[in-house]
Structure formats: C-alpha cells, structure tokens
Amino acid sequence: MTAGIAPLIGTTGRRVRLGLIDGMDTRYGHLYADTFMSDFSARIARAGGVPVNLPYDADPEALCHWLSGVVITGGQDVHPAYWGGDVSVVRDVDPRSNPMVHDVERDEFEIALVRAALQRNIPVLGVCRGLQVLNIALGGTLIPHLPPGAVTHLSAAPPVTDGADDHKVAFEPDSIAERLFGASAVTNSWHHQAVDRCGTGLLVTGRTGDGVVEAIELPGSPVLGVQWHPEWMERDDPTLSWIVAEASARS
C-alpha cells in the first residue's frame, strides 16, 4: 500500500428481510438487505482505517487480495454442525426472517474468510460471535450455553456501555491483549456461548474470574479474538485501533 493511504478494513454483517424493518414500504418487504453495525464503521474510520462492508456473496479469497484487515463481527450463534455441537437444537427457520437463528451462509462465509485471511497473514479481529468463528475456523469447539454464575455474561444492559464491575477480564502477560489493556479490564458482555477447546495454534489470553474465555490469540500472527463488543464500549476500545495499526504495518 502506498504510504499515507488508509488501509481497507473489511467488516462482516448479516442479511435480513426488509419486512422486518418498521415503516418499510410493504412492496419491498419480501426482499433482503445486508446490514452492518455503523458503530464499527465509525470507530474504524476514527482510528484511520477505511471500513468496507462485506456481503456473503463476495469470494473470501478474492477479498483478501484487496483487504488489509478483517473484522468478524457479533451476531447469532454459529450452527453447531460446524463445531461438533448438538444439531437437534437447531430450528428450521428462515434466518432472513428471524435474524437470531442460525445462518449457515453467514457461517460458511465467515469461516472461509478467516481461513483466507490467515493464509495471507492479514490481521484478523474477532468480536463476540467473531471470536467463536475464529476458534471454529481452526477446529475449536464451543460451550453451547453458559450456566448462571457469579459473572454476568448475557447482560440485560443495552449498548453502549463499558460493562459492570463483575465482568473483569484478566489478561496473560506478554499477550496482545495485555499490551493493549494492561493486566485486566472491565468490559461489556452479551453472549451465552463461549470457547471450549481452542482451535489449532490458538491460545487463551484472557478470562473472567469464572474461567470463561474472553480473549484468544494466534502467537506470532496479528490475530485477536475478544468476547465483548469493542464497538459498543463507551470508552475507546484499543482493539479497533490495533486492527487498523496492524493492517497499516502489513500493507
């Protein structure tokens, strides 16, 4: 990349039926729209990157010829067939009409995108579901449902929030996360699943006090997954500045 040119940072999203949108003209209700969280775009741009929205139709290998960084964003659970979970719990519902159910097109696209980015040494940031996709792409498994405990993981608080004091994440020394946050940080949290067994090469670098995985990394590579939502932290979360800086350094 030419010096002074901002890096292209791809962000993933989801596809929904337009009829779900209040006030939408009913003539278009049967059609679909690709949706992306504008909070990611705003913060990536503020950090000096150029946010690029990535629809499922884009070829992951082709994208990685152009992108300097990839952010796999949050959303619905990954289909358990991709990580060896119980497929009997899956509901046969159109994910475009109910964006909270499994969407195998999104799963396949994001898993392939992670693998293509890793092969080309493109920096990757996985956020919430994105951390889990990163783990699955490298052969890892998930805890299908976290039991209630002393730490609140599926918060009732709406975004934007820095989280509650009970959700404190401790980071491993000399990890990317520790360099960004120090020894620990209080974060927001909206998840009910978590990493069980790490995928090939991945290491856990952050946990809450109950042992739940909150950060993973691929040592020697510009790869970081966080279980919270940096785009919805009230304060500036350094993970989004990190992905832009890493993308700039490798472009």
Side-chain angles (χ1 to χ4, degrees):
M1 186 175 70
T2 304
I5 302 298
L8 299 180
I9 310 295
T11 64
T12 63
R14 62 174 83 186
R15 187 163 288 173
V16 299
R17 187 170 57 82
L18 286 172
L20 296 177
I21 302 174
D22 287 344
M24 176 62 65
D25 190 317
T26 56
R27 291 176 296 172
Y28 312 125
H30 63 292
L31 300 176
Y32 302 106
D34 290 325
T35 63
F36 303 87
M37 290 297 178
S38 58
D39 301 279
F40 275 114
S41 299
R43 298 203 184 200
I44 289 170
R46 193 162 69 207
V50 177
V52 180
N53 295 332
L54 307 178
Y56 308 162
D57 313 270
D59 176 74
E61 294 286 347
L63 284 173
C64 288
H65 285 285
W66 297 97
L67 296 175
S68 299
V70 169
V71 180
I72 309 296
T73 65
Q76 66 269 66
D77 298 346
V78 179
H79 196 292
Y82 290 102
W83 52 271
D86 182 4
V87 297
S88 69
V89 302
V90 177
R91 291 183 292 160
D92 187 17
V93 179
D94 179 6
R96 313 292 186 252
S97 297
N98 182 345
M100 292 310 297
V101 302
H102 303 96
D103 187 342
V104 296
E105 283 190 82
R106 181 181 185 186
D107 297 340
E108 291 176 356
F109 171 70
E110 291 185 339
I111 290 169
L113 180 59
V114 166
R115 290 171 176 166
L118 294 180
Q119 188 168 8
R120 295 180 65 88
N121 201 38
I122 293 172
V124 175
L125 173 64
V127 171
C128 198
R129 165 195 158 94
L131 173 149
Q132 296 166 16
V133 169
L134 170 60
N135 189 51
I136 291 165
L138 290 172
T141 61
L142 303 180
I143 298 169
H145 193 73
L146 293 170
V151 177
T152 302
H153 292 287
L154 188 57
S155 173
V160 171
T161 174
D162 284 341
D165 288 342
D166 74 329
H167 198 270
K168 183 178 182 180
V169 183
F171 302 111
E172 292 295 321
D174 300 320
S175 63
I176 295 171
E178 193 261 349
R179 292 197 296 272
L180 293 176
F181 293 94
S184 65
V186 173
T187 72
N188 58 34
S189 187
W190 293 285
H191 67 103
H192 77 102
Q193 296 189 326
V195 167
D196 184 10
R197 177 175 54 79
C198 274
T200 302
L202 290 170
L203 292 180
V204 176
T205 59
R207 294 182 188 268
T208 41
D210 56 357
V212 170
V213 174
E214 293 282 339
I216 59 175
E217 300 176 20
L218 188 63
S221 298
V223 176
L224 173 64
V226 296
Q227 191 61 69
W228 65 91
H229 283 261
E231 80 281 16
W232 289 336
M233 293 288 286
E234 289 182 299
R235 64 181 184 268
D236 278 341
D237 188 291
T239 56
L240 294 171
S241 298
W242 170 83
I243 188 73
V244 172
E246 290 292 328
S248 297
R250 287 168 168 77
S251 298

